[in-house]
Structures are given as structure tokens and as C-alpha cells.
Amino acid sequence: MSIGNMVSVWKMSCRVLICLLLVCTRIMAIFSVTDGGDLAALNALKSSWKNLSPNWVGGDPCGSRWDGINCTDTRVTSLILAGMGVEGREFGDISSLTGLRFLDLSNNVGLEGILPSSIGNLKNLTVLILVGCSFFGPIPDSIGSLQQLVQISLNSNRFSGPIPPSIGNLSQLSWLDLSMNRLSGSIPVSNNTTPGLDKLRSAQHFHLSNNQLSGPIPAQLFSSNMSLIHAIFDYNKLIGYLPISLGSVQTLEVIRFDWNSLQGSIPSNLRNLRNLNELYLSNNNFNGNMPNLTSMNVLYYVDMSNNNFNASEVPQWFSSLQSLTTLRMENTTLQGQVPVDIFRLPQLETLVLSNNNLSGTLDIGNSYGSNLTVDLQNNSITDFREKTDYNLELTLVGNPVCNTSKATARFCSIETHNNNLLPSSKCGAMSCSRDKVLSTKCQCSHPYTGTIHFFFFSFSLTHLQNSTYYSTLYGSLMSAFLSNGLPVESVIINNPTINVFSYLQLPLQIFPSGQDSFNRSSVSRIGFLLNHQPFKIEYFGPFFFLDEQYCCFEGSKKSSQVGLIIGAAIGGSVLVFLILLAGIYALRQRKKAKRAIEKSDPFASWNLEKESGSVPQLQGAKWFSFEDLKKCTNNFSESNCIGSGGYGKVYKGTVASSQVVAIKRAEQGSMQGAHEFKTEIELLSRIHHKNVVSLVGFCYEQGEQMLFYEYISNGTLRDCLAGKSAFRLDWNKRLRIALDAARGLSYLHELADPPIIHRDIKSTNILLDNNLNAKVADFGLSKLLGDAGKGYVTTQVKGTLGYMDPEYYMTQQLTDKSDVYSFGVVLLELVTARAPIQHGKHIVRLVQEAIEDTQEPQKFDQIIDPSLEPVSKLGCLMKFVDLAMSCVRESAAERPTMGEVVREIENIIKLANFDKKTDKGFSLFSSEETSDENPLHSYPAKGFDASYGSFPFHVQRQ
Ligand SMILES: *[C@@H]1O[C@H](CO)[C@@H](O)[C@H](O)[C@H]1NC(C)=O
Ligand SMILES: *[C@@H]1O[C@H](CO)[C@@H](O)[C@H](O)[C@H]1NC(C)=O
Ligand SMILES: *[C@@H]1O[C@H](CO)[C@@H](O)[C@H](O)[C@H]1NC(C)=O
Ligand SMILES: *[C@@H]1O[C@H](CO)[C@@H](O)[C@H](O)[C@H]1NC(C)=O
């Protein structure tokens, strides 16, 4: 064959190739149905968000049914990623999905950032659900241009700033839930130029509780031509009067204005609300006469406790409301005799009249509701006509009658209730393997779990058991799941609790049917169903659902890409050819790259025998070869793996014949550059302190980066607090752990040279050794505080959600005070045993609110770790909490230094005066240091009366 021939054959085959390629792309284009813009937007999300479904591959989200996506024709109409564990901060691209009708990103705590105002482009959006994420900053005004919106649920985020008045433009809006955020300012109402919430004539639900809304309630907010059924505004900072206009909204079923600072008298026209079922007005400053609620015959639940009403006899209407299940009138200056008629109310379950001046003889009569609970604590009742067969729970603690022999002890002591809904197991001795759970139908699987939070309820907890309430709830949930085609086998509803906001919380376990675990699509649809709530549950109001991230998604379906398969078949030969070409190219590139790496790699020139040149300057730490390590970790076998994290895995191994080490092996994606790695080992090798985990050696070879630390036997502080380890930490031990960790950290800040900022202080980075000495570990993110002497370094913000210093976060300036903040969070964990973010709420806010709440001192008690000793026995608890709170002050300048923290903890331990003799192993001070002290007990500043009302609605610790 001549050269000319060869050239023309070559040209020919090139042409054929090009044609084949063209045909191939054509065919793929025909089968690809998704709108190009939508595809680009989803691909952008894919690259900026973590943990999206693995089936998000290929070029056709609609055709190949990416998890969480529904389409109509070529446009993406719903994006539902509820409970997927998605993490990310960028949202810009969602706004180009202009066909979207449903957007639900709920229960992704790792989604954070500011909601972009471009969300206003989603003109067809009808449902927006972002419950339980970590959004912060203002709600954009542009939300008011989404004319189709029917539901807005932004519950349990960190939104701040005012409620945008533009929401008033949403004429279709039925459900507005902005609860559990940090919204401030007044409730917006319209004027000539600006819209406001009063314009929402179709709205049925205003759920605005648990914010910082202030100012008076505008009278204009309520009018007779609205459709409102729920006016829920509890736990805000509202002042002034309850407007008379409220009484004109005939549709109202629930009113919650409790826990505000409202005053004046309660408008008498509330009586005209003939549909009202629940009225919560407790914990305000209402005064004047108690309102007359006669003839409100569908009222189930009334709570007007803790107001300043004029002293009065027990009003007539108490005994006339035939539907009442619950009447709570604690601390409302009631006096005189309790009328016997009140006990005859047919539905009555709970009557709380504690802390009043009720007197005389208590007569309950003969006919009263079964399982009636009556709380008359702290009154002036002198006598009780008791019958032996009373079937009720009654407490008379704090009445003169309890000082006489007339009352039976059972009415003069406080009982605690165990609200356990778990049906008795019918599965015999069956048990499940590790981390599976037994369903009521005796199947082992991985349930999807979370908690339903009801905004209100109309019955008492004791009645939730063994009653129609429970079966109604169970039936409603199951029928909602099944009618939506969800593969749910059964649910378990357990341990109902009432939280500090009087919300009923029901932990839920949802079991998959016919399989071990749910797939992603099922979890997101369950999450959507629960927060979208197209169904109602009789006796229970609306709720919000916060999940615990699902452990074990069933392997996602591989996408069935018809287009791709046909394309691949036709273009198969082309592809083979291209792959060959690519292979050759890649080989050449690799050689090139290797040469380049060798050039730039300072380690390449390391000569480990001669410590010179660019060899790391190590103090004590040793170099190990990869082969040594393979041997000592049994070839990195799973059984030697003791942990894993974002950077890779941690193995346990034995080096130098006896020393046990923890080997941190970086994964491909998390390798550092050679320079960084060198810096890190140099830094680590210089650190020697008994409260800091020390570096034993390292390995840098064969594309591996490994660090060996001394092995700390008792695991992390987090596991220990979470009850995952064998021993219990009492208060004494916790104080010592705090001191150890503080000393370690203070060493890094103040004694290491140059000083080191840890950057990732958290309870999982504090390890406990055999003697429960704490050591600070993991310097993966550490920064040297440069010699520039400015006291801070500017860095890309890194760290762990929940521990991150807000000032660092905003300014990107890292100082040693950023560690102090994180350490403060750890101190709060020691007290509460809670994770820093639980149910979307940050521990700092939780504790702050509990401390500030002077009206309900027990709120503070509730957040203390229940596995600790009784609160009164926790020496210096309040001092300790004060210290923690000073560490988490917003302004870094106002936080103490770690040295100051160490001294204060030492001081606290001294004051708490632990008995050295019984606890020799932990002796901290030489005898002269402690001998001078009297046993000084610093009790919490607030009243921790052990007898406070765990009756009948005790707020349970979670
Ligand atoms: C998504 O599509 C599925 C199946 O076509 C349908 O059952 C479901 O209701 C759709 N969801 C939404 C939110 O449109
Ligand atoms: C929005 O909805 C309308 C009515 O259903 C429809 O005609 C229009 O195409 C939708 N817009 C987009 C961008 O999908
Ligand atoms: C209308 O209300 C807005 C904010 O609520 C306020 O800024 C504006 O001054 C008001 N305009 C008039 C004419 O009162
Ligand atoms: C409450 O209202 C009812 C019905 O109007 C009336 O009969 C009753 O006297 C009122 N009670 C008081 C204490 O004013």
C-alpha cells in the first residue's frame, strides 16, 4: 500500500468516525428530555452540595428519574430532598429552576447560608419547606413575589431580621410557619404603601411562635373577613393589649399568645369565638378581671396561668364548659372554695389550680372523669372529704391539710409519671442484630426516626396512652403513608413529652416494609409528607417534624438511561477507540506529572539518615515505612479500624514491638500538599504536654500520608457523654476533664512556640485515657499564630458546625479566642450532655434562654444532663455555666483567655471542694492548697426547688 493510500484510508476512517460521533450525540439528545437550563442548575447543585443521591448521574434528570426530582414535560417541577443529609452553602442555582412548584429541603442541618433573594424567580412555586435546616440572615423580601405560594414553612432555622411585609402580597397563602427562628421587629400590617400580614385573607395558619417579635399586636392584623384558624404567637416579646379585633375572627380554633409580655384585660368578646378549641394566654401580665368564658362550648383547653388578674372566687364558667379537657389556672389569685361542680365536667382530664389561695374543705363528689388529674399544690385547703376508692391523681402538697392526719400520704407527695406508649412486645424473646430495631410486627429493620412537635394539643399525656387519641394518631399517620404509596410497615410512637414551650413531642420510628431500610426517595417523601401535611389528625393540631439523620439508605437504584444505552451501543466502537486514545494520552500525562511532582516535592529529597536540608525538623517523632505499617495494622484491616472522619480512617496498631498507636491515614481527597504535611508534623512533634495527644511518628510514602499518635484507650468525650462508653462521668469527673482539656489548650495557646490555634475544638477531639485524664487531639486544622504579631491569622473558615466562633465565621480572622468559643460549647456539653446542635437549636441559645427565664426557673433544671447527680448536688454548677457562657460571648474580646479559663476551673474545683480522700486517683491540689477551705457550696442562682411541679405536666428531659 502506498503512502498516499494510507493517508486516504486514514482520512476516510476519520470521516466515518466523525459521522458516527454526530449520530451518537443526536440520538442521545433525542432521548434526553430535561430542559437544558434545569440540567445545568441541578449539575451546579451537584457540584456545590454534598450527599446528594448517587443516582444523580447522566444528562437527563427527568428521564432517568433522579431521586428527589419530579418533572412535567421537560421542566423540573419538584425538588424534594427532605432528610437527605445534604450539606452546602450555595443556593444561587436553585433560582433558575423556574418550573419548580414544590421545593422541600427540610431536615438538612448541613444546609446553611442566607436564602438568596433570587428565590423570587421561582414564580410557579406553591410549597416552600425549609424546616430544620441552618439558614440564617433575613428572609428575602422577594418571597412576596411568589404569587402561587400556598405554604411557607421556614420553621427551626436561624432566620433573623423582620418578617418581610411583602408576604402580605401572597393572596393564595394558607400556611405561614416561621416559628423557631430569631425573627425580630413588629408584626407587619399594611398601609397605603406597604403590604402586611392583615392582607392574607386566605391564610389559615399563622405559626410565628418562638421568635423575638416585639411591639404591640396591631389591631389591624385581625378582621372578620379572614379565614384564620390558628393564631400562634407564643414565646415572643409582644407587649401591649390583646386587640379586640381578635374576637371578630369567627374561624379561629386556636389562640396562643402565651409567654409574651401582654397586659391589660383580656377582651370579653373572645367569648364570641364559637369555634375556639384552645386558648393559651398564660405567662403574660394580663390584669383586670378574669374573662367570662361562659357558653364557649367547644373549648377544650384553657391556660391563663401566671397572670395578674384581680383576686376572685372560682368563676362560674369553670363548671359550665362542657367540652373542657384541660383547665390550667396556676397562680391566678383564685380564692375561696373549689366548687364541686367542676369535677363533674364530663370530659375533664386535667385541672391545675396550684399556687392560688383556695381554701376551705375540698369536696370532689362522686362523679368525675376517669383518670382525672388534679393539681392543687400550694393553696390553703384545710380539709379533704376523702373516699378510699378515689380513682384520680390529686396532689395537695403545700396545703395545710397535708400537715394534719386527715389526708392520705398519697395525695401529699409528688408522683412522677412514666409516659411510655410502647405497646408491650408480642415478639417474645426476639431481638435484632446490631443497630436494627424490632418493629411491632416483629421485623428487624432500620427505622427512620424523628420527632413530631405539635403546636398544641387538647388532652393530657396520661390520656394519650390506652385511648382513642393514640389509635387515631397511629391510624392517621399510617393511612397518610399508605395512601401516598410509601413502603411503611408500621410506626412506633414512644415516650411523649411536653417541652418547655408546651408543645407535645412524639418521637417516631417509621419502619420500612419488606426491606431492611428505606431508599432515599422514600425518606424524602416521608419527610415531605410530614412537613407538608395535606392531612389532619383529629384531636391533634398541626405539627412540624424534625428528623434524626437516617443511618442507612438502601442502595439507590441505578439510573436506567435508555438514551445512554442505545447511544452506547451504536457508538460502542467509537467509544472503544476514544478510550484507547485517552488511555495513551493519560499515560503520557502521568509520566509528565510524575516528573513534575518529583521536581516540586520537597520530600523527594529527604534523606532520613541525615537530618539536614529540607528534612522536617522533628523532636521525638519517628518516621515509619509503609511496609512496617502494613504489618502492624494487619494490612489496614477493617478489624483494626477504630474510627473514621472526613480526612480518612484511623487504625490501631502496635509499633516498635510494644507501643500502641492510633494511625490516622489520609484518604485520597484529603491529602495535604507536601509542604503542609511537613509543617504539620514539625508542629506536632514539638508539642509535649500531658493533656495533649502527642505525635509518635509519621509515614509519607507511596502516596500515603499517615500520622501516628499515642493511643488513648477510653475513646472520646462525646461518646462518653452520649452514654456510648462503659463508664459514667459524674460531676466531679466532668470538672476534672474540663480542667485537663483547658490546660492542654492553654498550653497550645500560651506555651507552645509559636502559639497554636487548634481550630477544631469539640467533644470528639477530647480523648480520655485509662485514668480518665483528658487529652486534646487532632490538629488537622491547626494554625500557627504567625510571627507577624498581629494576634490573628486570616484563613478560609473551617471547623465544625456548632462549635464555630461566630466572629471568626464573619470576619475570617482566626484568633485564640475562636478556640475559647469552641471550648465554651464543650463546657456546655459537659453540663447538658447535648450535642451542640440538636433539633436545629444551638446549645448556646438553649442555655441562654433557660438562664434568662426568670419566670420558669425549672427550665434551667431541665437542660442539665439527667444522668448527673441531682442539680442541688452539683457544686458550683452556676459558676461553671457562667464560665461557659463567658467563653461563648459574641464579641471575642470579651471572652476570657484559656489561661483565665484554667484558673477559673481550678477555682471552681476548689470551691466545690471534692473529697480528695474518696477520689485519690484524681488529686489535683497539694494538701496546703485545699486545707484552708470550708466546704463551700455554690448553689445555682435560681430556685432549684426539688419539689417543683413535675406534676402533672412535667417537662421531661430529653
Ligand atoms: C412525583 O411523582 C410521583 C410519581 O409520578 C408522584 O406520585 C408524586 O406525587 C409526585 N410528587 C410531587 C411532589 O409532585
Ligand atoms: C408556570 O405555570 C403555568 C401554569 O401552570 C404554566 O403555563 C407555565 O409554563 C409555568 N412556568 C414555567 C416556567 O414552568
Ligand atoms: C407604611 O409602613 C411602612 C413599614 O411598615 C413604613 O416604613 C411606611 O412609612 C408606612 N407608610 C405610611 C404612609 O404610613
Ligand atoms: C358571664 O356571662 C354569663 C352569660 O352572659 C352571665 O350569665 C354571667 O352572669 C356572667 N358572669 C359574670 C361573673 O359576669
Side-chain angles (χ1 to χ4, degrees):
M1 208 189 285
S2 73
I3 295 208
N5 271 348
M6 271 170 74
V7 168
S8 65
V9 166
W10 174 242
K11 275 187 179 160
M12 257 296 260
S13 46
C14 272
R15 250 179 240 141
V16 171
L17 254 174
I18 288 165
C19 286
L20 273 171
L21 264 177
L22 281 178
V23 170
C24 187
T25 20
R26 263 292 149 76
I27 287 173
M28 289 183 60
I30 290 166
F31 280 88
S32 168
V33 295
T34 310
D35 174 85
D38 286 359
L39 174 63
L42 291 175
N43 274 329
L45 282 187
K46 205 169 107 181
S47 61
S48 61
W49 286 1
K50 282 205 284 198
N51 299 343
L52 288 167
S53 171
N55 92 342
W56 280 36
V57 290
D60 185 15
C62 291
S64 56
R65 316 222 49 159
W66 287 9
D67 283 338
I69 283 163
N70 261 12
C71 301
T72 302
D73 300 329
T74 65
R75 298 304 308 268
V76 175
T77 50
S78 65
L79 178 60
I80 294 177
L81 301 175
M84 293 290 96
V86 178
E87 293 172 20
R89 292 182 58 95
E90 302 294 323
F91 298 88
D93 290 292
I94 281 190
S95 57
S96 47
L97 295 170
T98 50
L100 272 190
R101 295 190 193 137
F102 299 88
L103 176 57
D104 179 356
L105 304 176
S106 57
N107 285 311
N108 289 299
V109 178
L111 270 184
E112 51 176 348
I114 291 174
L115 201 58
S117 92
S118 58
I119 193 117
N121 296 343
L122 304 178
K123 296 282 189 258
N124 274 8
L125 204 61
T126 58
V127 173
L128 173 63
I129 305 180
L130 305 176
V131 176
C133 298
S134 302
F135 292 99
F136 53 81
I139 299 171
D141 214 33
S142 60
I143 204 168
S145 60
L146 304 178
Q147 283 299 316
Q148 306 297 319
L149 272 180
V150 175
Q151 178 179 5
I152 301 180
S153 292
L154 307 184
N155 193 306
S156 301
N157 279 278
R158 293 179 278 147
F159 286 111
S160 57
I163 298 174
S166 63
I167 286 181
N169 289 330
L170 303 174
S171 55
Q172 313 281 319
L173 195 69
S174 159
W175 181 297
L176 177 65
D177 182 0
L178 308 177
S179 312
M180 317 275 161
N181 279 292
R182 299 172 186 174
L183 299 171
S184 55
S186 52
I187 302 170
V189 286
S190 65
N191 58 24
N192 290 338
T193 54
T194 329
L197 300 192
D198 54 311
K199 294 284 184 199
L200 297 173
R201 295 283 153 80
S202 311
Q204 298 194 309
H205 303 270
F206 281 170
H207 298 167
L208 301 171
S209 57
N210 250 280
N211 278 291
Q212 292 160 21
L213 300 174
S214 57
I217 305 165
Q220 198 189 330
L221 182 61
F222 301 107
S223 59
S224 56
N225 50 10
M226 53 193 328
S227 335
L228 201 61
I229 59 175
H230 295 157
I232 299 187
F233 291 86
D234 53 292
Y235 275 91
N236 278 292
K237 298 179 172 169
L238 300 170
I239 56 166
Y241 303 117
L242 202 56
I244 291 170
S245 55
L246 186 65
S248 64
V249 188
Q250 284 299 319
T251 43
L252 274 175
E253 292 172 10
V254 180
I255 293 177
R256 282 201 70 163
F257 278 100
D258 43 320
W259 295 98
N260 280 289
S261 302
L262 301 174
Q263 52 169 321
S265 45
I266 294 173
S268 58
N269 69 345
L270 285 191
R271 234 173 81 188
N272 303 337
L273 297 175
R274 293 302 161 90
N275 294 309
L276 197 69
N277 300 137
E278 273 99 16
L279 180 63
Y280 291 75
L281 298 173
S282 61
N283 298 293
N284 280 289
N285 303 320
F286 287 120
N287 49 31
N289 291 334
M290 199 177 282
N292 183 352
L293 302 183
T294 307
S295 73
M296 297 190 73
N297 286 329
V298 295
L299 203 53
Y300 302 131
Y301 191 109
V302 176
D303 186 355
M304 298 202 260
S305 301
N306 300 313
N307 281 295
N308 304 323
F309 298 120
N310 295 340
S312 73
E313 305 277 311
V314 175
Q316 280 268 300
W317 60 263
F318 276 28
S319 320
S320 75
L321 299 182
Q322 296 299 306
S323 306
L324 265 192
T325 64
T326 308
L327 179 62
R328 302 172 68 88
M329 289 283 175
E330 195 182 332
N331 187 18
T332 45
T333 48
L334 290 170
Q335 58 193 29
Q337 193 125 2
V338 183
V340 63
D341 289 354
I342 202 169
F343 301 104
R344 298 204 182 112
L345 289 173
Q347 314 286 339
L348 195 66
E349 297 169 351
T350 304
L351 177 65
V352 181
L353 301 174
S354 54
N355 296 302
N356 283 294
N357 300 318
L358 297 167
S359 56
T361 301
L362 177 64
D363 181 3
I364 288 181
N366 291 322
S367 58
Y368 50 84
S370 61
N371 291 319
L372 178 63
T373 300
V374 179
D375 182 358
L376 289 167
Q377 286 184 65
N378 303 324
N379 278 286
S380 309
I381 294 166
T382 49
D383 201 354
F384 175 35
R385 270 197 208 125
E386 189 186 340
K387 299 218 170 66
T388 48
D389 57 348
Y390 271 140
N391 175 26
L392 52 76
E393 279 188 56
L394 166 69
T395 184
L396 291 168
V397 172
N399 283 275
V401 66
C402 281
N403 303 333
T404 69
S405 56
K406 283 179 179 160
T408 318
R410 77 164 166 138
F411 299 128
C412 290
S413 65
I414 290 165
E415 291 166 44
T416 47
H417 308 263
N418 181 15
N419 300 300
N420 200 330
L421 291 185
L422 196 63
S424 54
S425 173
K426 300 179 208 102
C427 312
M430 239 185 109
S431 68
C432 294
S433 66
R434 214 163 56 90
D435 51 76
K436 283 194 190 171
V437 182
L438 194 61
S439 77
T440 48
K441 299 198 171 162
C442 307
Q443 298 294 320
C444 289
S445 60
H446 298 290
Y448 178 43
T449 59
T451 303
I452 284 184
H453 301 247
F454 290 96
F455 283 101
F456 52 82
F457 56 98
S458 57
F459 46 80
S460 70
L461 271 194
T462 40
H463 284 249
L464 188 50
Q465 315 172 53
N466 322 318
S467 77
T468 47
Y469 300 135
Y470 177 80
S471 44
T472 304
L473 176 63
Y474 184 90
S476 307
L477 287 174
M478 279 308 289
S479 83
F481 290 139
L482 298 181
S483 65
N484 280 277
L486 287 160
V488 174
E489 182 222 54
S490 58
V491 295
I492 290 181
I493 308 160
N494 199 13
N495 282 323
T497 55
I498 311 256
N499 76 359
V500 288
F501 313 118
S502 316
Y503 288 10
L504 174 64
Q505 300 178 325
L506 295 177
L508 203 62
Q509 292 175 305
I510 305 165
F511 290 87
S513 110
Q515 53 202 7
D516 269 4
S517 52
F518 288 110
N519 61 22
R520 279 168 191 274
S521 146
S522 299
V523 166
S524 68
R525 286 170 61 206
I526 290 172
F528 175 63
L529 184 66
L530 291 177
N531 277 321
H532 180 44
Q533 270 164 72
F535 55 92
K536 278 187 183 152
I537 307 181
E538 203 187 346
Y539 310 118
F540 295 81
F543 58 84
F544 55 96
F545 172 72
L546 298 176
D547 77 354
E548 275 138 40
Q549 203 182 321
Y550 193 49
C551 58
C552 356
F553 292 113
E554 189 205 49
S556 285
K557 293 175 295 210
K558 291 279 166 295
S559 61
S560 59
Q561 296 185 31
V562 187
L564 194 66
I565 290 165
I566 294 175
I570 293 177
S573 51
V574 182
L575 287 178
V576 170
F577 183 74
L578 290 177
I579 288 167
L580 263 175
L581 274 183
I584 293 167
Y585 179 74
L587 260 176
R588 289 181 59 176
Q589 283 303 102
R590 218 168 102 183
K591 272 193 189 152
K592 241 193 209 169
K594 204 174 165 195
R595 256 177 269 135
I597 287 171
E598 275 166 11
K599 256 189 216 160
S600 70
D601 181 0
F603 281 36
S605 65
W606 280 9
N607 177 342
L608 290 152
E609 267 65 62
K610 286 183 255 159
E611 292 207 355
S612 64
S614 63
V615 173
Q617 303 300 304
L618 301 180
Q619 299 179 0
K622 294 192 202 75
W623 170 84
F624 292 89
S625 78
F626 187 63
E627 282 308 311
D628 294 342
L629 290 177
K630 250 169 105 171
K631 243 178 274 160
C632 89
T633 58
N634 201 1
N635 199 10
F636 299 104
S637 75
E638 277 305 307
S639 62
N640 280 36
C641 180
I642 53 173
S644 64
Y647 52 85
K649 287 186 172 164
V650 181
Y651 297 86
K652 186 177 170 181
T654 312
V655 293
S657 73
S658 65
Q659 190 175 15
V660 185
V661 292
I663 302 171
K664 197 172 125 182
R665 183 188 194 188
E667 257 168 11
Q668 277 308 322
S670 57
M671 298 268 185
Q672 296 171 301
H675 278 294
E676 286 85 4
F677 187 64
K678 183 182 157 195
T679 313
E680 183 171 359
I681 54 182
E682 281 180 344
L683 161 78
L684 293 176
S685 76
R686 276 202 307 273
I687 294 168
H688 299 285
H689 187 274
K690 72 176 167 63
N691 298 121
V692 179
V693 175
S694 61
L695 185 74
V696 176
F698 70 95
C699 169
Y700 184 84
E701 210 185 301
Q702 304 189 5
E704 296 274 357
Q705 289 180 356
M706 287 183 251
L707 295 172
F708 320 162
Y709 297 92
E710 57 176 324
Y711 177 71
I712 310 292
S713 53
N714 268 332
T716 72
L717 175 59
R718 176 77 253 155
D719 282 352
C720 203
L721 289 175
K724 286 185 197 156
S725 68
F727 47 88
R728 220 183 108 250
L729 295 179
D730 60 17
W731 182 233
N732 182 344
K733 293 199 186 94
R734 290 187 200 200
L735 289 182
R736 284 160 205 280
I737 286 170
L739 180 62
D740 283 350
R743 283 176 171 166
L745 196 51
S746 132
Y747 165 83
L748 294 178
H749 286 180
E750 288 160 25
L751 296 171
D753 180 29
I756 294 165
I757 302 177
H758 187 292
R759 261 222 290 192
D760 202 16
I761 288 290
K762 54 182 172 181
S763 54
T764 47
N765 275 342
I766 293 173
L767 306 182
L768 303 176
D769 74 6
N770 270 335
N771 296 323
L772 296 187
N773 296 317
K775 290 173 186 254
V776 176
D778 203 345
F779 299 77
L781 301 175
S782 303
K783 275 279 164 202
L784 293 182
L785 201 47
D787 2 50
K790 53 186 176 179
Y792 65 85
V793 277
T794 306
T795 77
Q796 191 194 348
V797 175
K798 282 187 184 153
T800 303
L801 209 69
Y803 293 93
M804 225 184 297
D805 168 15
E807 196 167 284
Y808 165 43
Y809 195 78
M810 284 180 320
T811 61
Q812 306 201 350
Q813 282 181 3
L814 180 72
T815 69
D816 51 357
K817 295 294 183 68
S818 310
D819 281 350
V820 174
Y821 182 92
S822 312
F823 189 73
V825 174
V826 172
L827 293 182
L828 294 178
E829 279 182 84
L830 279 168
V831 174
T832 63
R834 288 168 197 245
I837 299 176
Q838 205 166 308
H839 301 317
K841 187 154 192 165
H842 193 230
I843 194 168
V844 172
R845 188 180 183 208
L846 183 89
V847 175
Q848 185 72 42
E849 283 174 358
I851 293 177
E852 280 173 0
D853 200 327
T854 47
Q855 279 175 306
E856 202 189 15
Q858 66 265 34
K859 205 166 146 188
F860 183 82
D861 192 352
Q862 303 312 321
I863 62 169
I864 306 296
D865 180 2
S867 76
L868 274 168
E869 300 93 318
V871 167
S872 60
K873 299 227 167 76
L874 305 179
C876 291
L877 171 65
M878 221 49 212
K879 256 186 162 22
F880 190 82
V881 172
D882 281 348
L883 173 65
M885 294 311 282
S886 71
C887 292
V888 296
R889 278 183 192 136
E890 230 150 84
S891 148
E894 289 173 19
R895 296 175 204 150
T897 64
M898 276 320 294
E900 287 164 346
V901 173
V902 169
R903 283 189 288 284
E904 179 62 14
I905 299 178
E906 284 173 351
N907 197 24
I908 285 172
I909 292 182
K910 251 194 213 179
L911 287 175
N913 194 29
F914 288 120
D915 188 347
K916 299 193 303 283
K917 284 169 214 116
T918 58
D919 196 15
K920 279 195 187 105
F922 297 106
S923 178
L924 263 177
F925 303 105
S926 60
S927 50
E928 81 217 39
E929 268 182 302
T930 40
S931 58
D932 55 347
E933 298 287 344
N934 286 323
L936 252 182
H937 290 279
S938 154
Y939 282 103
K942 299 180 176 184
F944 285 94
D945 181 357
S947 69
Y948 81 80
S950 52
F951 180 92
F953 280 95
H954 62 302
V955 181
Q956 281 201 350
R957 292 166 167 140
Q958 296 151 46

